[in-house]
Amino acid sequence: MSHPADDKSAIRLDQFIAHPPAKVWRALTEPELVARWLMPNDFKAEVGHRFTFTTTPKRQVGFDGIVYCQVLRIEPEKLLKISWSDGGSADWTVTWRLEPEGKGTRLFLDHEGFDPGDELQQLSRRIMGGGWPRHFGAIEAIAAGL
């Protein structure tokens, strides 16, 4: 996992997943699978689709537990880009990129748009920067079961 701490506007991670892109893609785009590793949702793999994730509120950053999202770009088994907003000041994008690597997949995550000068956004970046890496293992476990 790489996490350049000097980029205060983004979280950038990547990890090798020992399963082919088709299985990793399913873990990223089938709502019931996404709910198992991330949050309950009403996602559809369609550009323009608006959806929400629902989770535990995080009062310390003024987050009510609902993430408002829209599908911005899709390239099946290659790229998924969504908007990610807390309904307040946060206006981020989350991009997943899948690259075949040997018999598996190199999975890249770019969570971008954090305001380097906003203390709450930087706290959110630290919280999510610690959370996203754990999700890679869950994605791998779900792909293993497909």
Side-chain angles (χ1 to χ4, degrees), residues 5-131:
D6 54 338
D7 184 354
K8 299 219 178 298
S9 69
I11 298 164
R12 298 186 196 285
L13 302 167
D14 70 273
Q15 184 170 313
F16 177 75
I17 307 282
H19 301 283
K23 288 186 176 185
V24 177
W25 181 254
R26 285 183 60 194
L28 292 176
T29 59
E30 292 184 15
E32 63 282 3
L33 297 178
V34 175
R36 283 169 47 194
W37 66 266
L38 189 54
M39 293 177 259
N41 65 88
D42 55 345
F43 176 83
K44 280 192 194 127
E46 297 170 8
V47 171
H49 177 68
R50 292 182 184 277
F51 66 100
T52 57
F53 287 114
T54 311
T55 188
T56 310
K58 293 208 173 17
R59 304 277 176 233
Q60 72 268 37
V61 290
F63 173 57
D64 68 1
I66 300 171
V67 183
Y68 302 88
C69 303
Q70 184 172 11
V71 179
L72 302 176
R73 196 168 147 209
I74 288 183
E75 292 172 40
E77 299 184 14
K78 291 187 175 150
L79 184 138
L80 171 65
K81 181 174 189 169
I82 63 171
S83 64
W84 182 288
S85 173
D86 63 2
S89 66
D91 185 16
W92 303 318
T93 59
V94 173
T95 306
W96 295 97
R97 281 184 301 119
L98 295 75
E99 291 182 6
E101 186 174 307
K103 292 185 176 167
T105 306
R106 174 70 52 180
L107 182 60
F108 295 86
L109 166 72
D110 292 305
H111 187 156
E112 300 169 296
F114 295 93
D115 180 346
D118 182 317
E119 279 183 44
L120 275 182
Q121 285 210 16
Q122 287 304 301
L123 178 59
S124 294
R125 182 177 152 273
R126 285 192 296 277
I127 291 168
M128 288 189 262

